Amino acid sequence: MRRWLATVSISIVSALSLVACGGGGGGQASQSPAASGGGGEKKQVEVFSWWTGPGEADGLQAMKKIFEQQNPNYTFFDAAVAGGSGDKAKALLQSKLQANTPPDTFQGHAGAELQGYIKAGNLEDLTFLYDELKLKDVFPAQLVEQISVDGKIYSVPVNIHRSNVLWFNPAVLKDAGVAAAPKTIDEFIADLEKVKAKGKIPLSIGSEWTVTHLLENVLLGSMGTDAYNALFKPGADWNSPQVTKALESFAKIMSYAGDPQDDWQPAAKQVADGEAAFNIMGDWAYGYFHNPPEGGLGKKSKTDFDWAPAPGTEGTYMWLSDSFTLPKGAKNRDGAIAWLKVAASKEGQDAFNPKKGSIPARKDADQALYTDYLADALKDWSSNKLAGSIQHGVSVNQPWLAAITESVGLFIGSKDVKALQQGLADAAKSNAQ
Ligand code: GAL
């Protein structure tokens, strides 16, 4: 994994030339799954994710449909736990893993997060599935590296998401005299000020994790790709003047944030409804803006909402990837493998991703399905440099992210940039391997 992180600064154009891009509607699990329905009953497959909310669930539902069509003996049991970015889901998952009562399959981010589950011995090796389905041929080698330890492969990636997207409301920008999306952090700050003068919310913000999401974007946009990627190498200097400058900009940008919303969806909605000018969020927001109601807002792209790379990050894809696993001790192991086969398939990925607002992990997806924002994403993914997301499991493992989250939480209250920098430096020191 470290190798990919180390090389993320170089263009991966050819290496990763992916094709790509999904939506559904689930709901919090309300009943407990029968381990294995006997007596001719269908066996349930407990699929654990955090895709329950608007814009999140559509993709999962699309994949569920294919799963149930192809597997008449199984039913899909939606064990999703609400809460964007999975903070709540991951805490519950940890307790299930510790109690040795894992779901049949769970969602995990490729990169440092998944490496944590692998090293803790939570996951079965899926090399047999990769051999059977010839999956090494269809996934980018560098992505497979992120989900492997000692040559064994531990999950099935369903997508590639982009973290560094600036979503904006074109009419609000026009009204504030902002002619085009800001390309640098300084331009961004100047534009935030112009919007403020018009009485609109300059930057919408969601729950606490969305602030860490903003932080990763400002670090990348301010420091540049190589310096950002270097932050996750052993011995990296989080006390450098470059980090100080980035954090000062972060504090300034945060001073333009509206009232914190409950999660990412209401913050994104403020932009789509014209209450706010900007929101920095991953491209799952596209599924939410674009999908028809109830799953999405049914908004018109380029009119109700528009997008650009987050300020200062053009040419770089801050990536993350959702993947599904086979936990050791899964009650319905065969059913979980049947789910993984759908998640790995072209049909599954092409149903999931256009709804999810992501591009497929597979290189052979049907490009024609990926239009509008998703066509831009496919193009950029095949040509941009790479950086790994902090909030979404690529660059830092869960203990490191928890330490970063704590520092960000303290900063939200104190606005103390120095303390934030020290907190981030300490987090790196205790957790970088
Ligand atoms: C990410 C996840 C995405 C999306 C987002 C918001 O961590 O990878 O698929 O669900 O959280 O909840």
Side-chain angles (χ1 to χ4, degrees), residues 286-314:
Y286 177 73
Y288 178 53
F289 289 140
H290 175 263
N291 293 348
E294 295 285 310
L297 294 173
K299 294 284 183 181
K300 221 173 156 334
S301 105
K302 302 279 170 190
T303 307
D304 298 326
F305 69 97
D306 202 348
W307 58 88
T313 72
E314 191 166 4

Side-chain angles (χ1 to χ4, degrees), residues 224-289:
T225 312
D226 295 347
Y228 172 88
N229 285 325
L231 288 173
F232 310 102
K233 295 185 182 142
D237 184 9
W238 283 76
N239 275 314
S240 69
Q242 288 87 341
V243 174
T244 310
K245 183 166 184 269
L247 297 182
E248 279 164 356
S249 297
F250 170 68
K252 183 82 188 151
I253 290 167
M254 275 298 290
S255 74
Y256 292 99
D259 291 339
Q261 305 295 297
D262 283 347
D263 207 334
W264 67 267
Q265 289 97 335
K269 190 167 184 299
Q270 287 180 317
V271 169
D273 289 347
E275 290 169 31
F278 297 105
N279 179 240
I280 290 186
M281 190 37 59
D283 50 10
W284 41 91
Y286 177 73
Y288 178 53
F289 289 140

Side-chain angles (χ1 to χ4, degrees), residues 50-51 56 84-85 109 161 209 264 284 320 322 356 392:
W50 55 86
W51 295 330
E56 298 271 58
S85 188
H109 287 125
H161 265 306
W209 72 264
W264 67 267
W284 41 91
L320 59 124
D322 296 306
K356 185 65 171 65
H392 308 283

Side-chain angles (χ1 to χ4, degrees), residues 17 22 36 39-40 44 58 68 90 104 109 172-173 176 199 222 230 237 267 292 310 319 332 336 341 361 386 391:
S17 137
S36 59
Q44 288 184 326
D58 286 0
E68 293 194 329
K90 283 189 262 181
D104 294 317
H109 287 125
V172 176
L173 260 58
S222 174
D237 184 9
W319 73 279
N332 187 352
K341 286 184 175 173
L386 292 185
Q391 175 61 34

